[in-house]
Amino acid sequence: MLNLAVAERKRIKFYAAGLGASSLGVQIILLRQFLTVLYGNELVIGVVMSLWLLWVGIGSMLGHACWKNRAPRESAYPSLLIFTLFIAILVYSAGKFVRYFLQTPYGEHLSYADVFVFAGFILCVPAISFGFLYSLLARMSRASFTKNEPAAVVYAYEAFGTFVVGVVFTFMLAKYSNLFCLFALTVFQLVLLMLVGWRKTVAVPLILVVFLLMMPASQKIEDYLLRRYWQSVDATMLLREWQFSRFGQSSILEWGGERFLYHNGAKVTALTDDIGNQVCAATILCQHPNPQRILLIEGNAGGLALQCADFVQVDVMEMDGDMLDFVRLQTDSSARDWNRDNINIRVTDARRALRHTDASWDMIILNVGAPMTALSNRYYTKRFFALAKERLEANGVFAICHFPSAENYLGAELLSLNKILLNTLQAEFSDVLALPGDEAIFFAADSASLLVSTIPVLQARFRAFNPSLQHFVPDMFQYIYSQQRIDDFAAQLGSAAEVRVNSDFNPISYIFDFLIWHKTIRGDSALMRSLASHANPMLFLLFLLLTAMMFLPASKGARAVAVRIRAVAFIVGFMGMALSMVLLLAFQTLFGYIYAWISFAMAAYMAGMGAAAMVVNKRIESVDAGRLLARILLIAIILQLALTPILTLDPLNARAVYILFFIFAGALVGAAYPLVCRLYLCMTCQPELGGIYAADVLGGAVGALLIASAFIPLYGFFRTLLFSALMCCLALFLMRKNRKWKQPGLN
């Protein structure tokens, strides 16, 4: 009998680890899919993560209600898990047909509402199923783990499963397609289920064989899905080549006789735009009287560096070397041109590289496009501009090209976006010049005599290069830039009321891409305009919500107590999401592209969560759950208030330190969970089978939506964490409403 109980506990632990691995694996792959088809930035990430957690919470609540009074069959878990993974494969494939489902016309972008509706619809089945499976395992473990909190045991081993798949996917997703990794995850689960005893029918090995045979074909299936997706954007779009890398999915498309590079669904550059590149190169280089050596940061796949190399020594810094190599291999002539002696390519994060080099340049040119994500926004902050200034020669010039703007008139959102850039540049440089166009060019220097906008001076400087460009001559300056338009552009920027400065931990710029996107697709609206301001009404409404939560039922009845305990679990989930999102975006800002590290970062977070949950759960019988939970919340409050100042310290600016922060943040959430479950049992005399888990993930869902989509860009890191700390204070207040939080038997 004892051996049977031990075997049952081991099986449940294997099941829980498998559930965590499957849930996180599917979540990562579907998130990458949505970033590709929905032009994703942090706003889309917030929506997808929020909806995923929302459906998981609903599934857990359904499971709690279903298994509250009856035990499931042993075969229910493996059967439902394989069904869920099969549905996940169908959902991934269906994601490529989003425009067909929404009947989006050719050439039109999806609106934010479309993204929300489609993501909510397509994620519901797999996410609800994963939440339901958690409650099912919690019910199965009730008879086997009598000295621990059964739900916390599942919670801990689920976290360890997510840790394993997070580490594995960090390496797999750098080499293999999303679909291949999804098939591999399914095969792994089938093998695991067979090892722990799910062999009652021949269906299991048969399904395993089918998936093993489909894995080699995943590349062809992925190719078919990609082609259908791009044809849904425009029937004349032809997909020439594509690849996955640790930075996402890149595609080369032929459209209207030209070739374009797209990355994660968004256009990066035209690959045959010699005219545009020559105009841009001539305009930029003429802002310095005699440049000898320049640095080009990002955006070089389109060929701007090649045009500049006709005149000066060019150093290139690209973070995504795989994408640059991909383009060079697909364009033979460019591959030959890149081998010139005066072009030096360095695959590195330019921001980190500039911090650790003694080199200097006459010009530093930034070509990362719009600050639409935290990735590109990290190059538009005051701290980066100061870093670039340090690496310029005494009479050096800093240039920003291809910044979103307009030829003549700037709408409210574009004006604010351009003015924030101007404010940030002026915070570091004494002289700033902006040249207007559909994509503006900004120049900054500390010498007022360097930057010029008069046509004769530009022509004279260009002739000094002794150029022989095929598509550009000096006389074209007077047609491209008129003094009247330059003055009007400066006047518009000067009259704008916007005074904010973009910084690392107050990244205001990237929310404007969302505002411009919404205005283009759905037109202007007062609600969207309010987001461009400080959005004080939003803070006021949230403050009222916090105040209202303080008046949750104060009676001592079991139902009222259950509401308060679940509110505490909700706040713990919100706090965990606040810490993880701030750390993820801070990691991206300081170290580069988070999507190359997101699996490992999440794995570290889950490792801390699982380890803490296991340690606390083993001692759950001997600790004062209420008092220990209060201490954990106090530690969380202190951490959230101190985290932003800590992140600004240069000695702590290391990946290892951030990984430790991820582990510690996960440990706070993991330690709190079994304590909340035990309080629920003590105060209601009912075991936790999924209700607390549902409240926890629902808190994370609300946090993902608010924090990534609005709080961080509008209020910055510190005020976001301050709000979360106030939520933790509310949790302490709710706990004090109950006079007896200590469990029976403790003094």
Side-chain angles (χ1 to χ4, degrees):
M1 191 72 177
L2 181 61
N3 291 335
L4 289 175
V6 171
E8 179 67 17
R9 285 196 290 269
K10 287 184 177 180
R11 183 157 55 250
I12 290 173
K13 291 176 182 178
F14 271 113
Y15 284 167
L19 176 61
S22 299
S23 180
L24 182 64
V26 170
Q27 183 181 359
I28 290 173
I29 290 171
L30 292 182
L31 180 60
R32 285 167 60 98
Q33 169 77 310
F34 277 100
L35 288 175
T36 301
V37 301
L38 301 177
Y39 333 114
N41 60 8
E42 282 68 28
L43 303 173
V44 171
I45 292 174
V47 168
V48 173
M49 291 186 66
S50 174
L51 290 169
W52 176 269
L53 292 172
L54 173 66
W55 288 126
V56 169
I58 291 174
S60 182
M61 292 174 65
L62 292 174
H64 176 82
C66 180
W67 307 116
K68 187 175 182 179
N69 298 315
R70 60 194 181 100
R73 293 183 179 180
E74 186 178 346
S75 61
Y77 169 79
S79 302
L80 185 55
L81 178 62
I82 296 304
F83 167 78
T84 305
L85 290 172
F86 178 73
I87 292 297
I89 293 173
L90 294 181
V91 166
Y92 177 85
S93 302
K96 298 295 186 185
F97 297 91
V98 53
R99 300 176 65 88
Y100 291 119
F101 288 128
L102 297 175
Q103 297 183 345
T104 307
Y106 287 144
E108 183 177 303
H109 285 279
L110 298 173
S111 71
Y112 192 70
D114 291 335
V115 171
F116 197 91
V117 170
F118 181 75
F121 171 74
I122 204 169
L123 292 175
C124 67
V125 175
I128 287 175
S129 184
F130 280 123
F132 190 84
L133 281 166
Y134 174 87
S135 295
L136 189 152
L137 283 182
R139 179 65 179 86
M140 289 174 60
S141 62
R142 204 166 98 181
S144 302
F145 297 93
T146 55
K147 294 183 179 181
N148 308 113
E149 283 297 319
V153 172
V154 178
Y155 187 85
Y157 281 93
E158 183 189 37
F160 282 124
T162 61
F163 168 75
V164 172
V165 82
V167 173
V168 172
F169 270 25
T170 299
F171 300 100
M172 286 189 65
L173 290 171
K175 296 183 177 180
Y176 302 104
S177 71
N178 291 332
L179 197 56
F180 179 89
C181 293
L182 192 52
F183 277 124
L185 179 64
T186 305
V187 169
F188 167 77
Q189 287 295 343
L190 282 166
V191 172
L192 182 65
L193 291 173
M194 292 177 66
L195 289 175
V196 297
W198 193 45
R199 304 173 185 171
K200 293 185 177 180
T201 68
V202 296
V204 179
L206 182 61
I207 295 172
L208 177 61
V209 170
V210 170
F211 277 101
L212 284 171
L213 292 175
M214 291 185 70
M215 284 179 66
S218 62
Q219 190 84 350
K220 293 184 178 180
I221 299 173
E222 191 87 61
D223 183 80
Y224 169 78
L225 294 173
L226 278 171
R227 292 182 187 279
R228 291 301 301 269
Y229 168 70
W230 288 116
Q231 287 174 2
S232 71
V233 177
D234 192 297
T236 62
M237 272 188 167
L238 298 177
L239 179 65
R240 290 305 183 191
E241 194 57 68
W242 60 274
Q243 74 166 15
F244 276 96
S245 72
R246 63 195 181 98
F247 296 99
Q249 188 258 322
S250 300
S251 300
I252 292 179
L253 298 165
E254 187 172 314
W255 188 25
E258 296 188 66
R259 283 184 297 175
F260 299 89
L261 174 66
Y262 279 74
H263 185 72
N264 286 339
K267 187 172 76 171
V268 176
T269 183
L271 299 179
T272 54
D273 187 18
D274 290 340
I275 297 176
N277 284 328
Q278 289 184 13
V279 171
C280 187
T283 302
I284 290 172
L285 295 177
C286 286
Q287 287 301 323
H288 192 287
N290 186 30
Q292 299 296 314
R293 184 185 180 195
I294 68 171
L295 171 64
L296 268 166
I297 298 176
E298 302 294 336
N300 293 288
L304 178 60
L306 299 176
Q307 301 298 335
C308 292
D310 288 337
F311 308 101
V312 294
Q313 171 72 37
V314 177
D315 294 330
V316 171
M317 288 186 182
E318 285 279 350
M319 188 185 303
D320 191 353
D322 293 337
M323 184 171 68
L324 187 59
D325 290 340
F326 171 62
V327 172
R328 292 169 62 188
L329 289 173
Q330 301 304 319
T331 52
D332 295 336
S333 59
S334 293
R336 290 192 298 270
D337 292 339
W338 281 103
N339 293 326
R340 296 188 228 175
D341 293 336
N342 67 331
I343 297 181
N344 176 39
I345 302 174
R346 184 178 176 188
V347 178
T348 184
D349 170 20
R351 180 166 168 147
R352 301 286 293 178
L354 290 180
R355 287 193 61 198
H356 298 95
T357 184
D358 295 327
S360 59
W361 293 268
D362 297 309
M363 298 191 77
I364 295 178
I365 303 167
L366 186 64
N367 187 25
V368 297
M372 62 176 291
T373 67
L375 169 64
S376 55
N377 187 72
R378 67 196 290 265
Y379 292 109
Y380 289 101
T381 65
K382 185 177 182 294
R383 191 172 182 180
F384 177 74
F385 291 164
L387 183 60
K389 180 180 176 180
E390 293 175 2
R391 297 294 171 256
L392 286 171
E393 294 286 355
N395 290 321
V397 176
F398 180 65
I400 297 173
C401 57
H402 298 129
F403 194 81
S405 187
E407 284 282 354
N408 298 304
Y409 174 74
L410 296 172
E413 294 79 13
L414 270 177
L415 181 59
S416 292
L417 181 62
N418 281 260
K419 183 61 184 296
I420 287 172
L421 175 59
L422 179 64
N423 295 342
T424 310
L425 285 170
Q426 288 177 336
E428 293 297 330
F429 296 92
S430 61
D431 190 29
V432 179
L433 170 67
L435 297 181
D438 286 335
E439 293 178 329
I441 304 178
F442 284 78
F443 300 95
D446 273 339
S447 176
S449 61
L450 278 176
L451 306 181
V452 296
S453 59
T454 55
I455 303 304
V457 177
L458 289 173
Q459 292 174 335
R461 286 186 177 182
F462 186 70
R463 290 191 181 98
F465 285 119
N466 192 24
S468 58
L469 296 180
Q470 181 180 0
H471 303 292
F472 189 85
V473 295
D475 291 339
M476 293 176 66
F477 275 121
Q478 60 186 329
Y479 299 106
I480 299 173
Y481 303 108
S482 70
Q483 193 63 49
Q484 182 64 44
R485 288 178 55 219
I486 294 174
D487 293 342
D488 289 345
F489 189 53
Q492 287 187 69
L493 293 178
S495 63
E498 182 65 67
V499 296
R500 284 174 288 183
V501 170
N502 195 38
S503 64
D504 284 348
F505 297 150
N506 287 278
I508 181 60
S509 289
Y510 77 73
I511 198 171
F512 283 95
D513 182 74
F514 160 66
L515 298 174
I516 295 167
W517 174 20
H518 183 276
K519 188 173 183 178
T520 302
I521 302 303
R522 288 291 182 262
D524 198 9
S525 73
L527 175 62
M528 292 301 141
R529 283 200 309 272
S530 70
L531 285 176
S533 69
H534 290 287
N536 288 324
M538 180 187 295
L539 277 181
F540 180 70
L541 290 174
L542 290 172
F543 176 77
L544 289 180
L545 176 62
L546 279 179
T547 305
M549 290 181 66
M550 295 177 65
F551 295 97
L552 286 173
S555 66
K556 297 181 180 180
R559 186 178 297 275
V561 171
V563 170
R564 289 196 290 273
I565 296 175
R566 286 173 178 163
V568 171
F570 177 93
I571 291 171
V572 169
F574 186 95
M575 176 267 293
M577 183 57 67
L579 284 170
S580 60
M581 289 303 300
V582 165
L583 286 170
L584 283 172
L585 294 181
F587 190 98
Q588 172 158 288
T589 298
L590 299 177
F591 302 105
Y593 204 43
I594 188 60
Y595 303 118
W597 279 80
I598 191 169
S599 296
F600 190 80
M602 294 177 73
Y605 181 86
M606 291 300 181
M609 182 185 293
M614 183 174 293
V615 169
V616 172
N617 203 29
K618 284 186 176 180
R619 302 187 60 192
I620 199 71
E621 295 285 338
S622 59
V623 299
D624 184 332
R627 182 175 297 176
L628 183 56
L629 179 58
R631 290 174 179 174
I632 290 172
L633 288 172
L634 285 172
I635 293 172
I637 291 170
I638 295 170
L639 175 63
Q640 290 174 102
L641 295 178
L643 185 58
T644 303
I646 290 173
L647 296 181
T648 61
L649 299 176
D650 284 341
L652 298 180
N653 197 347
R655 287 187 179 91
V657 173
Y658 273 73
I659 295 302
L660 290 176
F661 274 128
F662 277 112
I663 293 173
F664 186 69
L668 288 176
V669 178
Y673 185 79
L675 298 173
V676 178
C677 292
R678 178 49 59 107
L679 292 177
Y680 184 82
L681 173 64
C682 294
M683 303 305 295
T684 66
C685 299
Q686 295 290 328
E688 153 59 7
L689 299 178
I692 299 299
Y693 182 77
D696 179 83
V697 297
L698 288 174
V702 173
L705 184 61
L706 291 180
I707 292 167
S709 302
F711 273 31
I712 287 178
L714 287 175
Y715 308 122
F717 286 10
F718 179 75
R719 279 182 285 181
T720 296
L721 291 174
L722 176 61
F723 182 84
S724 180
L726 291 175
M727 293 276 284
C728 292
C729 292
L730 172 62
L732 290 173
F733 178 84
L734 292 174
M735 290 174 61
R736 288 184 64 84
K737 281 192 174 184
N738 296 275
R739 301 303 179 190
K740 294 182 180 180
W741 284 94
K742 293 191 293 185
Q743 57 212 65
L746 289 177
N747 296 321

